[in-house]
Amino acid sequence: MKTKLIKIAFVALAAISFSCTSDSDNSTQDTGMFLNKTEEFSPQQSGYTTRLVTYYQNNKKVCDTTFNNSGVMTFRKEYTRTSSTQTIHSYNAQNALISKTIYTYDSSKRITNVDSYNGQNALTDARVYVYSGNDIYLYKVQNGSQTLLTNFKTNANNLVYLQESAIDGNTKTLSYNNNLPIELDNEGYVMPYEFYPNMKPQNLRNTANEINNAALLVVLDHVYLSCNYYLKKVNFPFLDSVVNYEKTFNSDNYITFQKTYSVTGGVNSNISEAFYYYNE
């Protein structure tokens, strides 16, 4: 049973991704297109069970809403930002506030604090990130004391490559090739990544600190969510499985469609289909 759960967790982590930095710029011309809306259908548009509609401003989320197959809203998030914070309010099917999370960043856009509140605005969790040279320490704050949860390390290019749990010692190591993540080693479970060859358009790219935030806020695996190339597939050779992210691009290398599906033991399973809409 434990092995089965591990397998499910590995595939699930890869499946939630939609989309690494490189010193070489082989991008197409940047037309300055801005993402306006995405629609994601699970497991596919035809006969979907859920539909996630997300709106953007300056290529950043402002709200997303999940609907069931009857068109009824089941969950909603709203995103607001200042120069140093991002706040996410989450609402249930009755449109009642159920949680609020505040992310705080320093002047270099590095994540420094995450504070979570329930629907009654009571603090439920507080995290602090401390930067010291190539080390980044994640602490949980409770009753005025700090408990170390995780130690991250960055490489010579300031990209996170190692995550070590202070709780159970679990260690993950991310290998790079010219600043592109190529595989993750999780205690001997190796997951190679594949990307499309061209970099994302200039206005969709992230700095090293912004790329690192994806790993620091979730897990090291998620560097591929924020890197500057489009993810194509994640391989799980120890499971005889692969998760594919088949994308369609316009002439300026912006995604217009993505189909996500897994192949395990030769069996295909649809995960989602997503459509992308832009304002020029």
Side-chain angles (χ1 to χ4, degrees):
M1 183 64 179
K2 182 177 180 180
T3 302
K4 183 178 180 181
L5 290 174
I6 291 174
K7 291 181 178 180
I8 292 173
F10 272 120
V11 176
L13 277 172
I16 65 173
S17 161
F18 268 105
S19 29
C20 307
T21 154
S22 172
D23 293 330
S24 61
D25 185 346
N26 58 346
S27 62
T28 54
Q29 181 180 358
D30 180 21
T31 62
M33 297 179 68
F34 289 89
L35 191 59
N36 177 46
K37 182 179 77 169
T38 59
E39 283 189 276
E40 180 186 4
F41 299 87
S42 300
Q44 66 272 322
Q45 185 178 26
S46 176
Y48 69 87
T49 56
T50 62
R51 179 171 70 103
L52 175 65
V53 180
T54 304
Y55 287 93
Y56 300 79
Q57 187 174 38
N58 296 324
N59 293 320
K60 297 183 182 297
K61 291 181 182 181
V62 292
C63 66
D64 60 52
T65 307
T66 301
F67 301 89
N68 62 22
N69 57 3
S70 298
V72 177
M73 187 270 283
T74 60
F75 188 73
R76 180 169 63 89
K77 290 182 180 179
E78 292 183 351
Y79 302 76
T80 58
R81 297 173 181 85
T82 69
S83 60
S84 60
T85 64
Q86 176 181 243
T87 302
I88 303 177
H89 293 85
S90 299
Y91 301 85
N92 63 15
Q94 290 71 46
N95 210 32
L97 179 67
I98 57 175
S99 68
K100 178 180 72 173
T101 305
I102 302 175
Y103 303 86
T104 304
Y105 304 85
D106 65 15
S107 59
S108 299
K109 301 303 180 184
R110 301 182 303 183
I111 186 69
T112 59
N113 299 79
V114 180
D115 297 307
S116 302
Y117 301 82
N118 62 21
Q120 291 70 49
N121 205 37
L123 183 66
T124 59
D125 188 74
R127 307 290 172 103
V128 175
Y129 295 85
V130 177
Y131 297 82
S132 178
N134 291 332
D135 288 288
I136 306 170
Y137 302 98
L138 170 59
Y139 294 91
K140 179 181 177 66
V141 182
Q142 191 171 22
N143 298 324
S145 63
Q146 294 185 345
T147 301
L148 179 63
L149 299 178
T150 310
N151 180 23
F152 298 90
K153 290 184 179 294
T154 58
N155 61 21
N157 293 319
N158 195 38
L159 290 169
V160 173
Y161 77 94
L162 184 140
Q163 172 185 328
E164 182 178 8
S165 170
I167 307 302
D168 60 15
N170 176 269
T171 301
K172 296 181 179 182
T173 305
L174 187 61
S175 299
Y176 291 87
N177 179 17
N178 194 28
N179 291 351
L180 185 70
I182 56 174
E183 69 176 25
L184 178 80
D185 186 336
N186 183 358
E187 300 286 338
Y189 293 98
V190 178
M191 294 176 289
Y193 304 139
E194 296 179 37
F195 295 86
Y196 287 88
N198 290 330
M199 293 184 76
K200 295 177 182 177
Q202 184 68 45
N203 67 342
L204 298 183
R205 299 179 199 170
N206 290 317
T207 65
N209 288 336
E210 291 170 326
I211 291 171
N212 288 342
N213 287 339
L216 299 176
L217 288 168
V218 192
V219 289
L220 185 60
D221 315 34
H222 284 206
V223 165
Y224 63 61
L225 288 176
S226 56
C227 68
N228 292 325
Y229 283 82
Y230 292 113
L231 183 65
K232 187 174 186 179
K233 62 178 61 178
V234 180
N235 296 280
F236 303 86
F238 52 91
L239 302 177
D240 187 25
S241 182
V242 59
V243 177
N244 297 278
Y245 304 85
E246 288 189 356
K247 295 174 173 64
T248 301
F249 302 92
N250 65 16
S251 59
D252 295 303
N253 204 35
Y254 290 84
I255 302 175
T256 58
F257 173 76
Q258 176 173 277
K259 178 178 180 179
T260 307
Y261 65 96
S262 65
V263 182
T264 303
V267 179
N268 287 31
S269 298
N270 286 339
I271 296 172
S272 67
E273 292 181 344
F275 298 83
Y276 296 71
Y277 305 93
Y278 298 85
N279 291 327
E280 296 189 19

